Amino acid sequence: MHVIDSHTGGEPTRVILDGGPDLGSGPLADRARSLATDHRDFYRSVILEPRGQVAMVCALLVPPVDPTCVTGVIYFDAEAVLGMCGHGTIGLAATLVHLGRIGLGHHKIETPVGVVTVEVIDANTVTVTNIESRRVASGISVAVDGIGTVTGDLAYGGNGFFLIDPSPVPVTASNLRQLTDVGIAIREALQAQGAGEAAGLAVDHIIFYGPSDSPEVHSRNFVLCPDNAYDRSPCGTGCSARLACLAADGRLGEGDEIVQESVIGSTYRLSYRHGPEGGVIPSITGKAYVMAESTLIFLPEDPFRGGI
Ligand code: PYC
């Protein structure tokens, strides 16, 4: 299995060029469901230690249904198959440039939730235009054991998010353990309360917001992913959900640009235009760097070939 590893603002992406399971040629949403239900051992073996690490997101390349797309892609982390992945799409574009498969300019990529566009500005700088994103519910309160009542918005940006601003824990790199634990507790309470279900949204990502030290930055975030790793980047689909909330609250106008910082200090530039369904079409600009080209080996006699 040939893979190329990159990172986008510190968050790793492993692009799987070949050697994945045969998922057929149906709609990408069906192929993603098949990957999630029938090939869990495969995707965990590629991403988990000792071959990978839990912060990584994999991008499995598949033939697109739409022939105008340069590729189809299905993203997954160690716990779940994702609808979309913003940092992964920036990393994928930088990887396709590295391979000589695309050049500067605009290209379409098919994902399970729809077609997204990348604009390759230079070998490392990419703008993703995501699928239409929307706020689903605002001011949702959840009672969390040991923490109290936490209030936030439910929003969709290709994945389902609960966004909490301001964070109950200061959003700093020295608080990663506490942010993770509190994020897990909130997600469990939210799921027990059925808040996402009631709003028609499967919520598996939690985002906290706090102030940044840089005056040009709008806010700093901490994003908890389904596998309980935190996103080292500002999270492209999370930023899409955030843009939908800022637009719905009248806090950011169409075409106005903000800078979103991650908990480790990496940044994306964000803006939106209005979408046809009443949501927003997000633009996310970030940088990715290719780090390794590898052949993964799965020896039958290796007791940990399926990952730890
Ligand atoms: O950038 O959309 C994103 C993302 C989702 C999970 C990790 N990164």
Side-chain angles (χ1 to χ4, degrees):
M1 182 182 301
H2 294 107
V3 301
I4 298 194
D5 290 348
S6 62
H7 78 85
T8 308
E11 177 75 354
T13 304
R14 171 164 285 175
V15 176
I16 303 171
L17 299 174
D18 54 44
D22 181 4
L23 301 172
S25 56
L28 256 69
D30 291 353
R31 286 187 253 173
R33 261 190 298 278
S34 160
L35 180 65
T37 51
D38 307 330
H39 301 284
R40 190 168 159 83
D41 289 350
F42 155 76
Y43 71 78
R44 288 174 70 80
S45 71
V46 181
I47 212 164
L48 289 177
E49 290 181 45
R51 215 170 265 109
Q53 52 127 328
V54 81
M56 187 175 259
V57 168
C58 284
L60 175 65
L61 297 192
V62 295
V65 175
D66 178 343
T68 64
C69 291
V70 288
T71 187
V73 63
I74 302 173
Y75 296 107
F76 56 89
D77 75 3
E79 184 53 36
V81 173
L82 305 173
M84 216 318 256
C85 180
H87 94 267
T89 304
I90 296 170
L92 171 57
T95 298
L96 294 176
V97 171
H98 171 78
L99 290 170
R101 293 192 188 176
I102 61 173
L104 302 187
H106 292 84
H107 310 277
K108 292 201 279 179
I109 293 174
E110 190 169 337
T111 78
V113 296
V115 172
V116 301
T117 304
V118 291
E119 181 186 3
V120 179
I121 295 161
D122 61 41
N124 303 110
T125 313
V126 176
T127 297
V128 178
T129 303
N130 197 6
I131 48 113
E132 185 162 352
S133 302
R134 61 185 191 282
R135 180 158 74 181
V136 171
S138 66
I140 300 294
S141 290
V142 55
V144 188
D145 281 349
I147 295 161
T149 299
V150 176
T151 302
D153 289 356
L154 296 170
Y156 174 75
N159 297 300
F161 291 86
F162 187 51
L163 304 92
I164 301 146
D165 184 7
S167 170
V169 176
V171 181
T172 62
S174 54
N175 280 342
L176 291 174
R177 185 70 265 162
Q178 206 190 343
L179 287 160
T180 301
D181 291 346
V182 172
I184 292 170
I186 292 174
R187 190 177 54 208
E188 282 173 2
L190 198 67
Q191 285 170 354
Q193 189 175 304
E197 261 167 40
L201 186 70
V203 180
D204 53 7
H205 291 70
I206 306 291
I207 312 190
F208 297 126
Y209 292 91
S212 163
D213 298 333
S214 309
E216 69 274 15
V217 167
H218 188 264
S219 64
R220 182 188 292 154
N221 72 13
F222 170 91
V223 184
L224 181 76
C225 297
D227 58 9
N228 294 339
Y230 73 92
D231 197 331
R232 278 67 171 158
S233 83
C235 189
T237 52
C239 287
S240 301
R242 170 71 156 175
L243 285 167
C245 295
L246 292 175
D249 285 334
R251 289 173 64 196
L252 187 70
E254 182 175 30
D256 294 343
E257 190 174 91
I258 55 170
V259 177
Q260 177 69 60
E261 184 181 57
S262 76
V263 69
I264 68 159
S266 55
T267 55
Y268 287 160
R269 286 189 290 116
L270 309 177
S271 63
Y272 75 86
R273 59 189 162 80
H274 292 297
E277 312 285 338
V280 301
I281 309 287
S283 286
I284 305 137
T285 303
K287 282 181 179 288
Y289 301 89
V290 169
M291 301 181 294
E293 294 188 35
S294 320
T295 305
L296 303 187
I297 296 170
F298 298 81
L299 290 177
E301 65 269 31
D302 176 355
F304 294 114
R305 70 183 168 282
I308 301 165

